Amino acid sequence: MPKLKTLTARSLRGIVETTLPLDGRSVVLLGENGAGKSSFVDALEFFFTGRVSHLEGAQTISTTRHAPHLRAGRDATVVEVEFDHPAVQVSRTFEGLSGVPADLQSFIEQGANSTFILRRKNLLDFVLARPADRYAQLAAIIGVDNLDKVERALMGARDDLLNQKDSRERQIRTEESKLNELLGEVVADDAQTLAALNKKLAELKQPPLGSFDEIEARKVAAVAQSRAPHDTERAVKVQSVLASVAALRSNALFPEVYRKLWNEVGALQKDAARVREMLFQEVLASSHRLIADFGLDYCPVCLQPIERETLLAALEKRVREAQEIAKKTSDIKRLRSELADRFGRQITEIEQLVSQVPELEIPLEKPLWDQYTALLRNLLSALRADPLDMHFPSFDETVQTPEVTAFVASMGELLETLETEKERLEPTEQDKLAVAIIDLLTRVVDSRHELNTLRPQCRIKAAVYREVAAIYDCFVSTKRTEVQGIYRELESNIERFFKLLHAGEGYRDVKLEVNEGRRASTEIKMNFYEREQEDPRAFSSEGHLDSLGLCVFLAFVKRFNQGFPVMVLDDVVSSIDSGHRQRICELLFQEFGDYQLFVTTHDYMWFDELCAHQRAYRRGHLFVNFQILDWSLDAGPRLDKHKPCWERIERKLVSGDKDGAAADTRKALERLLYELAIATETPVVIRRDGKYVVSDLHGPFVSRIKRLVPEVYEDNLEVFQELETNSIFGNLLVHNNPRAANVSLEEVRSFSNAVKNLEAVFSCDQCGRLAEYHRAACLIKCHCRDGGIMWATRR
Amino acid sequence: MPQTVSAKICEAFFANLARLEDVKPETMEGLKALYAANRMAESRHLDRLVQEMENRYAQVEDADG
């Protein structure tokens, strides 16, 4: 497999121009927060994929705008990688890759399609995520996140079709009830309509129609039979327009449903913050279940102690509120659809009237009618918005505008004119009969035409909906089955890795389940002692959850990145304690020994541990360890080869950097005592923030050693006494203590030697690791199988 | 280069789809063309496919009178 010999980044993120000389080896990169470690990770991601994923997914940031260095344009951004086999240099710019030989093509393509970077943020998000978000992360690793977009697009197409079909069905029902009312009976098809129409014609003493084709001739004949054909025709039109205007005016222009919708939307918008509760509904309900079912007396998310009954009552209230909000938004959707139909029909009716009235040579204040139609169109457009973004005037404001008042007045005037015209055209009995016949026939023809247009449209929409729904269902079930299959393949590795990290801690049977009931959702379950298939959050610390997330990632990498053995762990072990971190080292070396690893950390201890493990596993030649000394905007990160902790301190002592050496020594002592306290199971007063200072740990640790292995204490009495004498500095040198200025360089050196000597007592010369207490075996021992540290402890 | 999971799922999807009576061969072809062009996730392309489906059903309606 090709290995990376050098990685050179120019004008990318915090890097101005820096080369990481790798020579095909793995790299461990140490640096404070903000020193530019992640810029190297970004450079690697940009090289293989052309993007920086954490800069995407939000509207305000993007790879193109924010990946280039702050003071450089995107044209200056280049990442160059020199490979060993084949020995070539490949460059990536925003224009793409150049210099890729054919035999490297497949490797680089796999890099582009693989998820090989695990960032701290991903790890934290993973286990604590909602099932849907967790699914999204796994989908990105598996490489099926694009399919999720397909699923959403198919679902959108299906739902649009369903809405269109439902809307046609509503229109058909309205038109059918109009026709049934006109004919005085329920008619289902043309034959029944013709039969019912003939009955109506018989009531008017008219011969039956043989078919609908005869209607136009029958209307002409009816007009001809009337005394004044022209007036009769006009009377029919006046009658029809009069009926339409009267109907428009009598059916409230702004129905009650509008007031209701406005009130509902108004209430929802006033309480927009509560809408977010809907998003948490599932988390709240799960939390309630967890706390109630398992009788937890701590929060399953943040592990803080809780007043159970009070929290349960509060959760119940919030779940209820979230359900109410969900119901309200659903009501708003229904009202919105109903109102949109209603306004749409009004617009059609008004448009018809606007063209019919002038034909009768009756004046119509067209601008008023146009204004009103425009108002309705605006309302229709406002109705399409999301309820929280819906902006339209209140019911009273809409009804009481001058435009609406003028429109209503105009309708009143038009009605009066039409009534006068109707009276002027007061027909004879013969005319009345002709008008009734023509009106009946015209309305039946109109309704039939409308239904004959709507029904096939509805059938087409229904057929396409069925087909698209079948496609969507098939897509979802195929994806679910395949993804679940992949999860099954991965579970054994996840479990194996997790057991390696947490041997004997009661965890087993880690399962990833695609949630059947929800779209794109993954549950994570595991057994903990006798409790089966529980949410890991119920029984795990943050460190355990982090290492579970890490194991899932590693299992995915092992399964999917076989042709691309490159893996990046960007600052991912912060919350994991020393014992478990050592096992992570073992896991990485055992399972990913053939990978080119990029590990970044801000944690000096983890950095030193990784370096120690390289030596212990005889893999030093496969690693290169760098420390970022500092970073500046104009120069970028400044790299230096790794210096072990004591070498760094010594260098500072020699250069007279008393404060630097003192601070590093104090940190080293804090870390050492912390790790020794864990390794020896020393009881200490728990600090909620997890931050311990020397005075918290020193006394309890020494007491523990005196009790467990008094002879070790006696043999190293000088070391303990030296530390006792100097530990005052540990407390004195706490941040910003003004009295620390009085400490001399020699006193710092003496303090440094005391800490170093303590570390030497409990560190194994052979395996380089701290000894640990094994309670069951009554031993304090290191990891060496033979030799090394092994002290029998008192019971 | 091994087949990606996404490609594998899509292949299985099209195989399953071919077994569904509700889905017309022309629709299958249209979907496959979208997939080949990497456009299956784009709503406007799906909308166009849906429009073509509606046109085909409309032709059948017309033919049936």
Side-chain angles (χ1 to χ4, degrees), chain A residues 313-350:
Chain A
L315 282 171
E316 272 166 29
K317 184 166 171 276
R318 289 183 69 194
V319 168
R320 241 188 344 267
E321 284 172 356
Q323 285 167 344
E324 278 167 22
I325 296 269
K327 185 179 175 307
K328 272 187 187 169
T329 51
S330 155
D331 286 348
I332 285 173
K333 268 189 184 171
R334 187 179 47 74
L335 292 174
R336 184 166 63 170
S337 163
E338 202 178 322
L339 200 57
D341 280 356
R342 179 74 173 254
F343 286 158
R345 279 202 304 279
Q346 278 190 8
I347 290 171
T348 312
E349 283 166 12
I350 290 169

mmCIF file of all heavy atoms in Angstrom, chain A residues 313-350:
data_model
loop_
_atom_site.group_PDB
_atom_site.id
_atom_site.type_symbol
_atom_site.label_atom_id
_atom_site.label_comp_id
_atom_site.label_asym_id
_atom_site.label_seq_id
_atom_site.Cartn_x
_atom_site.Cartn_y
_atom_site.Cartn_z
ATOM 1 N N ALA A 313 -41.636 14.815 37.088
ATOM 2 C CA ALA A 313 -42.822 15.668 36.894
ATOM 3 C C ALA A 313 -42.525 16.735 35.843
ATOM 4 O O ALA A 313 -43.345 16.999 34.954
ATOM 5 C CB ALA A 313 -43.213 16.321 38.220
ATOM 6 N N ALA A 314 -41.311 17.298 35.906
ATOM 7 C CA ALA A 314 -40.952 18.339 34.938
ATOM 8 C C ALA A 314 -40.867 17.754 33.534
ATOM 9 O O ALA A 314 -41.335 18.351 32.565
ATOM 10 C CB ALA A 314 -39.624 18.966 35.322
ATOM 11 N N LEU A 315 -40.306 16.536 33.433
ATOM 12 C CA LEU A 315 -40.197 15.898 32.117
ATOM 13 C C LEU A 315 -41.576 15.595 31.546
ATOM 14 O O LEU A 315 -41.845 15.813 30.367
ATOM 15 C CB LEU A 315 -39.389 14.596 32.227
ATOM 16 C CG LEU A 315 -37.872 14.762 32.327
ATOM 17 C CD1 LEU A 315 -37.220 13.433 32.655
ATOM 18 C CD2 LEU A 315 -37.313 15.303 31.022
ATOM 19 N N GLU A 316 -42.482 15.083 32.424
ATOM 20 C CA GLU A 316 -43.847 14.780 31.967
ATOM 21 C C GLU A 316 -44.493 16.032 31.402
ATOM 22 O O GLU A 316 -45.135 16.006 30.352
ATOM 23 C CB GLU A 316 -44.687 14.264 33.138
ATOM 24 C CG GLU A 316 -44.586 12.760 33.323
ATOM 25 C CD GLU A 316 -45.135 12.316 34.668
ATOM 26 O OE1 GLU A 316 -46.037 13.014 35.182
ATOM 27 O OE2 GLU A 316 -44.646 11.305 35.188
ATOM 28 N N LYS A 317 -44.300 17.131 32.127
ATOM 29 C CA LYS A 317 -44.908 18.394 31.698
ATOM 30 C C LYS A 317 -44.352 18.801 30.330
ATOM 31 O O LYS A 317 -45.099 19.161 29.420
ATOM 32 C CB LYS A 317 -44.603 19.468 32.748
ATOM 33 C CG LYS A 317 -45.255 20.802 32.487
ATOM 34 C CD LYS A 317 -45.176 21.679 33.744
ATOM 35 C CE LYS A 317 -45.606 23.098 33.468
ATOM 36 N NZ LYS A 317 -44.590 23.955 32.922
ATOM 37 N N ARG A 318 -43.039 18.676 30.178
ATOM 38 C CA ARG A 318 -42.427 19.106 28.916
ATOM 39 C C ARG A 318 -42.846 18.188 27.760
ATOM 40 O O ARG A 318 -43.064 18.636 26.654
ATOM 41 C CB ARG A 318 -40.908 19.147 29.052
ATOM 42 C CG ARG A 318 -40.461 20.288 29.931
ATOM 43 C CD ARG A 318 -38.968 20.375 30.016
ATOM 44 N NE ARG A 318 -38.363 20.781 28.755
ATOM 45 C CZ ARG A 318 -37.059 20.664 28.499
ATOM 46 N NH1 ARG A 318 -36.256 20.175 29.405
ATOM 47 N NH2 ARG A 318 -36.557 21.040 27.351
ATOM 48 N N VAL A 319 -42.954 16.872 28.034
ATOM 49 C CA VAL A 319 -43.401 15.949 26.985
ATOM 50 C C VAL A 319 -44.818 16.312 26.559
ATOM 51 O O VAL A 319 -45.146 16.362 25.371
ATOM 52 C CB VAL A 319 -43.337 14.479 27.473
ATOM 53 C CG1 VAL A 319 -44.057 13.550 26.528
ATOM 54 C CG2 VAL A 319 -41.897 14.038 27.637
ATOM 55 N N ARG A 320 -45.677 16.610 27.580
ATOM 56 C CA ARG A 320 -47.063 16.981 27.271
ATOM 57 C C ARG A 320 -47.098 18.243 26.410
ATOM 58 O O ARG A 320 -47.802 18.315 25.421
ATOM 59 C CB ARG A 320 -47.813 17.230 28.585
ATOM 60 C CG ARG A 320 -48.987 16.272 28.771
ATOM 61 C CD ARG A 320 -49.867 16.602 29.945
ATOM 62 N NE ARG A 320 -49.402 17.480 30.946
ATOM 63 C CZ ARG A 320 -48.779 17.125 32.064
ATOM 64 N NH1 ARG A 320 -48.520 15.857 32.282
ATOM 65 N NH2 ARG A 320 -48.428 18.018 32.962
ATOM 66 N N GLU A 321 -46.259 19.207 26.800
ATOM 67 C CA GLU A 321 -46.233 20.469 26.045
ATOM 68 C C GLU A 321 -45.759 20.231 24.612
ATOM 69 O O GLU A 321 -46.319 20.780 23.668
ATOM 70 C CB GLU A 321 -45.307 21.480 26.732
ATOM 71 C CG GLU A 321 -45.941 22.095 27.963
ATOM 72 C CD GLU A 321 -44.947 22.948 28.753
ATOM 73 O OE1 GLU A 321 -43.759 22.999 28.392
ATOM 74 O OE2 GLU A 321 -45.391 23.550 29.733
ATOM 75 N N ALA A 322 -44.751 19.367 24.483
ATOM 76 C CA ALA A 322 -44.231 19.088 23.136
ATOM 77 C C ALA A 322 -45.307 18.421 22.285
ATOM 78 O O ALA A 322 -45.459 18.719 21.101
ATOM 79 C CB ALA A 322 -43.001 18.194 23.231
ATOM 80 N N GLN A 323 -46.098 17.522 22.918
ATOM 81 C CA GLN A 323 -47.166 16.857 22.167
ATOM 82 C C GLN A 323 -48.231 17.863 21.741
ATOM 83 O O GLN A 323 -48.770 17.796 20.627
ATOM 84 C CB GLN A 323 -47.809 15.761 23.026
ATOM 85 C CG GLN A 323 -46.915 14.530 23.134
ATOM 86 C CD GLN A 323 -47.356 13.562 24.218
ATOM 87 O OE1 GLN A 323 -48.139 13.922 25.091
ATOM 88 N NE2 GLN A 323 -46.842 12.351 24.167
ATOM 89 N N GLU A 324 -48.526 18.806 22.662
ATOM 90 C CA GLU A 324 -49.527 19.832 22.321
ATOM 91 C C GLU A 324 -49.064 20.664 21.126
ATOM 92 O O GLU A 324 -49.827 20.935 20.210
ATOM 93 C CB GLU A 324 -49.736 20.776 23.511
ATOM 94 C CG GLU A 324 -50.686 20.228 24.560
ATOM 95 C CD GLU A 324 -50.613 21.051 25.839
ATOM 96 O OE1 GLU A 324 -50.180 22.210 25.776
ATOM 97 O OE2 GLU A 324 -50.975 20.502 26.898
ATOM 98 N N ILE A 325 -47.778 21.020 21.164
ATOM 99 C CA ILE A 325 -47.240 21.845 20.068
ATOM 100 C C ILE A 325 -47.316 21.062 18.755
ATOM 101 O O ILE A 325 -47.690 21.592 17.714
ATOM 102 C CB ILE A 325 -45.767 22.227 20.355
ATOM 103 C CG1 ILE A 325 -45.689 23.095 21.602
ATOM 104 C CG2 ILE A 325 -45.137 22.931 19.165
ATOM 105 C CD1 ILE A 325 -45.766 24.564 21.390
ATOM 106 N N ALA A 326 -46.964 19.751 18.835
ATOM 107 C CA ALA A 326 -47.003 18.926 17.617
ATOM 108 C C ALA A 326 -48.424 18.894 17.066
ATOM 109 O O ALA A 326 -48.650 18.974 15.857
ATOM 110 C CB ALA A 326 -46.524 17.520 17.933
ATOM 111 N N LYS A 327 -49.424 18.806 17.979
ATOM 112 C CA LYS A 327 -50.817 18.758 17.523
ATOM 113 C C LYS A 327 -51.188 20.104 16.892
ATOM 114 O O LYS A 327 -51.866 20.165 15.864
ATOM 115 C CB LYS A 327 -51.734 18.437 18.711
ATOM 116 C CG LYS A 327 -53.162 18.265 18.291
ATOM 117 C CD LYS A 327 -54.081 17.918 19.436
ATOM 118 C CE LYS A 327 -55.535 17.880 18.993
ATOM 119 N NZ LYS A 327 -55.976 19.079 18.323
ATOM 120 N N LYS A 328 -50.709 21.180 17.517
ATOM 121 C CA LYS A 328 -51.034 22.506 16.986
ATOM 122 C C LYS A 328 -50.479 22.681 15.576
ATOM 123 O O LYS A 328 -51.167 23.172 14.687
ATOM 124 C CB LYS A 328 -50.442 23.597 17.893
ATOM 125 C CG LYS A 328 -51.394 23.976 19.001
ATOM 126 C CD LYS A 328 -50.873 25.149 19.776
ATOM 127 C CE LYS A 328 -51.781 25.383 20.975
ATOM 128 N NZ LYS A 328 -51.251 26.312 21.912
ATOM 129 N N THR A 329 -49.234 22.263 15.371
ATOM 130 C CA THR A 329 -48.665 22.452 14.029
ATOM 131 C C THR A 329 -49.418 21.592 13.017
ATOM 132 O O THR A 329 -49.614 21.996 11.877
ATOM 133 C CB THR A 329 -47.160 22.100 13.984
ATOM 134 O OG1 THR A 329 -46.989 20.826 14.543
ATOM 135 C CG2 THR A 329 -46.342 23.082 14.750
ATOM 136 N N SER A 330 -49.885 20.423 13.459
ATOM 137 C CA SER A 330 -50.657 19.576 12.549
ATOM 138 C C SER A 330 -52.002 20.236 12.232
ATOM 139 O O SER A 330 -52.469 20.234 11.089
ATOM 140 C CB SER A 330 -50.812 18.205 13.201
ATOM 141 O OG SER A 330 -51.926 17.565 12.738
ATOM 142 N N ASP A 331 -52.655 20.853 13.257
ATOM 143 C CA ASP A 331 -53.915 21.572 13.023
ATOM 144 C C ASP A 331 -53.701 22.717 12.043
ATOM 145 O O ASP A 331 -54.522 22.953 11.153
ATOM 146 C CB ASP A 331 -54.455 22.156 14.343
ATOM 147 C CG ASP A 331 -55.042 21.067 15.220
ATOM 148 O OD1 ASP A 331 -55.224 19.944 14.691
ATOM 149 O OD2 ASP A 331 -55.297 21.324 16.401
ATOM 150 N N ILE A 332 -52.567 23.408 12.243
ATOM 151 C CA ILE A 332 -52.290 24.546 11.364
ATOM 152 C C ILE A 332 -52.147 24.071 9.925
ATOM 153 O O ILE A 332 -52.673 24.683 9.001
ATOM 154 C CB ILE A 332 -51.015 25.284 11.835
ATOM 155 C CG1 ILE A 332 -51.362 26.089 13.091
ATOM 156 C CG2 ILE A 332 -50.473 26.214 10.761
ATOM 157 C CD1 ILE A 332 -50.180 26.727 13.769
ATOM 158 N N LYS A 333 -51.493 22.943 9.730
ATOM 159 C CA LYS A 333 -51.339 22.411 8.367
ATOM 160 C C LYS A 333 -52.701 22.166 7.730
ATOM 161 O O LYS A 333 -52.943 22.485 6.576
ATOM 162 C CB LYS A 333 -50.573 21.089 8.418
ATOM 163 C CG LYS A 333 -49.083 21.248 8.261
ATOM 164 C CD LYS A 333 -48.460 19.889 8.100
ATOM 165 C CE LYS A 333 -46.951 20.004 8.046
ATOM 166 N NZ LYS A 333 -46.309 18.725 8.098
ATOM 167 N N ARG A 334 -53.609 21.557 8.534
ATOM 168 C CA ARG A 334 -54.943 21.223 8.011
ATOM 169 C C ARG A 334 -55.700 22.505 7.665
ATOM 170 O O ARG A 334 -56.267 22.647 6.575
ATOM 171 C CB ARG A 334 -55.698 20.401 9.065
ATOM 172 C CG ARG A 334 -57.021 19.863 8.589
ATOM 173 C CD ARG A 334 -57.690 19.051 9.680
ATOM 174 N NE ARG A 334 -57.710 19.695 10.996
ATOM 175 C CZ ARG A 334 -58.499 20.709 11.307
ATOM 176 N NH1 ARG A 334 -59.318 21.222 10.423
ATOM 177 N NH2 ARG A 334 -58.446 21.243 12.508
ATOM 178 N N LEU A 335 -55.694 23.473 8.603
ATOM 179 C CA LEU A 335 -56.405 24.735 8.370
ATOM 180 C C LEU A 335 -55.821 25.454 7.157
ATOM 181 O O LEU A 335 -56.546 26.027 6.348
ATOM 182 C CB LEU A 335 -56.276 25.651 9.601
ATOM 183 C CG LEU A 335 -56.984 25.188 10.872
ATOM 184 C CD1 LEU A 335 -56.643 26.124 12.024
ATOM 185 C CD2 LEU A 335 -58.491 25.179 10.665
ATOM 186 N N ARG A 336 -54.509 25.371 7.042
ATOM 187 C CA ARG A 336 -53.824 26.062 5.960
ATOM 188 C C ARG A 336 -54.266 25.496 4.607
ATOM 189 O O ARG A 336 -54.578 26.239 3.680
ATOM 190 C CB ARG A 336 -52.310 25.835 6.159
ATOM 191 C CG ARG A 336 -51.460 26.548 5.188
ATOM 192 C CD ARG A 336 -50.041 26.546 5.657
ATOM 193 N NE ARG A 336 -49.462 25.206 5.741
ATOM 194 C CZ ARG A 336 -48.179 24.991 5.950
ATOM 195 N NH1 ARG A 336 -47.366 25.997 6.150
ATOM 196 N NH2 ARG A 336 -47.701 23.782 5.995
ATOM 197 N N SER A 337 -54.339 24.165 4.533
ATOM 198 C CA SER A 337 -54.744 23.528 3.281
ATOM 199 C C SER A 337 -56.191 23.900 2.942
ATOM 200 O O SER A 337 -56.526 24.206 1.798
ATOM 201 C CB SER A 337 -54.555 22.024 3.439
ATOM 202 O OG SER A 337 -55.247 21.342 2.470
ATOM 203 N N GLU A 338 -57.058 23.888 3.973
ATOM 204 C CA GLU A 338 -58.480 24.194 3.768
ATOM 205 C C GLU A 338 -58.622 25.630 3.263
ATOM 206 O O GLU A 338 -59.377 25.905 2.323
ATOM 207 C CB GLU A 338 -59.186 24.028 5.128
ATOM 208 C CG GLU A 338 -60.670 23.794 5.025
ATOM 209 C CD GLU A 338 -61.250 23.586 6.413
ATOM 210 O OE1 GLU A 338 -60.580 22.936 7.245
ATOM 211 O OE2 GLU A 338 -62.357 24.101 6.663
ATOM 212 N N LEU A 339 -57.888 26.540 3.909
ATOM 213 C CA LEU A 339 -57.998 27.951 3.561
ATOM 214 C C LEU A 339 -57.428 28.211 2.165
ATOM 215 O O LEU A 339 -57.981 29.008 1.401
ATOM 216 C CB LEU A 339 -57.233 28.781 4.598
ATOM 217 C CG LEU A 339 -57.605 30.245 4.686
ATOM 218 C CD1 LEU A 339 -59.074 30.436 4.966
ATOM 219 C CD2 LEU A 339 -56.795 30.930 5.775
ATOM 220 N N ALA A 340 -56.334 27.506 1.826
ATOM 221 C CA ALA A 340 -55.738 27.694 0.497
ATOM 222 C C ALA A 340 -56.729 27.284 -0.578
ATOM 223 O O ALA A 340 -56.892 27.965 -1.595
ATOM 224 C CB ALA A 340 -54.450 26.889 0.388
ATOM 225 N N ASP A 341 -57.426 26.158 -0.341
ATOM 226 C CA ASP A 341 -58.464 25.722 -1.303
ATOM 227 C C ASP A 341 -59.517 26.800 -1.451
ATOM 228 O O ASP A 341 -59.963 27.139 -2.544
ATOM 229 C CB ASP A 341 -59.139 24.437 -0.801
ATOM 230 C CG ASP A 341 -58.277 23.228 -1.100
ATOM 231 O OD1 ASP A 341 -57.226 23.413 -1.742
ATOM 232 O OD2 ASP A 341 -58.649 22.118 -0.682
ATOM 233 N N ARG A 342 -59.937 27.308 -0.300
ATOM 234 C CA ARG A 342 -61.014 28.292 -0.279
ATOM 235 C C ARG A 342 -60.625 29.563 -1.029
ATOM 236 O O ARG A 342 -61.362 30.042 -1.890
ATOM 237 C CB ARG A 342 -61.312 28.617 1.196
ATOM 238 C CG ARG A 342 -62.378 29.633 1.435
ATOM 239 C CD ARG A 342 -63.749 29.032 1.169
ATOM 240 N NE ARG A 342 -64.777 29.965 1.562
ATOM 241 C CZ ARG A 342 -65.525 29.855 2.645
ATOM 242 N NH1 ARG A 342 -65.377 28.837 3.443
ATOM 243 N NH2 ARG A 342 -66.452 30.738 2.909
ATOM 244 N N PHE A 343 -59.446 30.087 -0.740
ATOM 245 C CA PHE A 343 -58.986 31.302 -1.416
ATOM 246 C C PHE A 343 -58.784 31.046 -2.919
ATOM 247 O O PHE A 343 -59.070 31.901 -3.749
ATOM 248 C CB PHE A 343 -57.690 31.823 -0.796
ATOM 249 C CG PHE A 343 -57.884 32.488 0.556
ATOM 250 C CD1 PHE A 343 -56.831 32.608 1.453
ATOM 251 C CD2 PHE A 343 -59.128 33.006 0.920
ATOM 252 C CE1 PHE A 343 -57.010 33.218 2.683
ATOM 253 C CE2 PHE A 343 -59.300 33.611 2.163
ATOM 254 C CZ PHE A 343 -58.252 33.719 3.049
ATOM 255 N N GLY A 344 -58.262 29.842 -3.241
ATOM 256 C CA GLY A 344 -58.060 29.498 -4.649
ATOM 257 C C GLY A 344 -59.383 29.539 -5.405
ATOM 258 O O GLY A 344 -59.479 30.073 -6.517
ATOM 259 N N ARG A 345 -60.429 28.975 -4.792
ATOM 260 C CA ARG A 345 -61.757 28.967 -5.446
ATOM 261 C C ARG A 345 -62.278 30.393 -5.609
ATOM 262 O O ARG A 345 -62.840 30.753 -6.642
ATOM 263 C CB ARG A 345 -62.738 28.130 -4.616
ATOM 264 C CG ARG A 345 -62.593 26.634 -4.862
ATOM 265 C CD ARG A 345 -63.856 25.898 -4.481
ATOM 266 N NE ARG A 345 -64.257 26.130 -3.102
ATOM 267 C CZ ARG A 345 -63.725 25.494 -2.065
ATOM 268 N NH1 ARG A 345 -62.795 24.595 -2.246
ATOM 269 N NH2 ARG A 345 -64.152 25.752 -0.843
ATOM 270 N N GLN A 346 -62.092 31.213 -4.571
ATOM 271 C CA GLN A 346 -62.559 32.608 -4.648
ATOM 272 C C GLN A 346 -61.882 33.340 -5.802
ATOM 273 O O GLN A 346 -62.530 34.067 -6.548
ATOM 274 C CB GLN A 346 -62.245 33.341 -3.338
ATOM 275 C CG GLN A 346 -63.271 33.080 -2.253
ATOM 276 C CD GLN A 346 -63.053 34.007 -1.063
ATOM 277 O OE1 GLN A 346 -62.260 34.921 -1.108
ATOM 278 N NE2 GLN A 346 -63.798 33.766 -0.002
ATOM 279 N N ILE A 347 -60.579 33.110 -5.943
ATOM 280 C CA ILE A 347 -59.850 33.785 -7.034
ATOM 281 C C ILE A 347 -60.441 33.385 -8.383
ATOM 282 O O ILE A 347 -60.705 34.226 -9.247
ATOM 283 C CB ILE A 347 -58.344 33.442 -6.973
ATOM 284 C CG1 ILE A 347 -57.715 34.129 -5.753
ATOM 285 C CG2 ILE A 347 -57.624 33.876 -8.241
ATOM 286 C CD1 ILE A 347 -56.294 33.711 -5.454
ATOM 287 N N THR A 348 -60.702 32.075 -8.556
ATOM 288 C CA THR A 348 -61.283 31.599 -9.828
ATOM 289 C C THR A 348 -62.643 32.253 -10.069
ATOM 290 O O THR A 348 -62.940 32.735 -11.178
ATOM 291 C CB THR A 348 -61.450 30.060 -9.780
ATOM 292 O OG1 THR A 348 -60.230 29.502 -9.302
ATOM 293 C CG2 THR A 348 -61.777 29.488 -11.132
ATOM 294 N N GLU A 349 -63.476 32.267 -9.018
ATOM 295 C CA GLU A 349 -64.822 32.843 -9.184
ATOM 296 C C GLU A 349 -64.721 34.326 -9.549
ATOM 297 O O GLU A 349 -65.446 34.799 -10.433
ATOM 298 C CB GLU A 349 -65.615 32.694 -7.873
ATOM 299 C CG GLU A 349 -66.138 31.281 -7.659
ATOM 300 C CD GLU A 349 -66.621 31.046 -6.232
ATOM 301 O OE1 GLU A 349 -66.751 32.044 -5.487
ATOM 302 O OE2 GLU A 349 -66.848 29.889 -5.872
ATOM 303 N N ILE A 350 -63.851 35.055 -8.888
ATOM 304 C CA ILE A 350 -63.724 36.494 -9.161
ATOM 305 C C ILE A 350 -63.220 36.727 -10.582
ATOM 306 O O ILE A 350 -63.725 37.583 -11.307
ATOM 307 C CB ILE A 350 -62.799 37.158 -8.119
ATOM 308 C CG1 ILE A 350 -63.508 37.168 -6.764
ATOM 309 C CG2 ILE A 350 -62.440 38.578 -8.531
ATOM 310 C CD1 ILE A 350 -62.630 37.559 -5.604
#
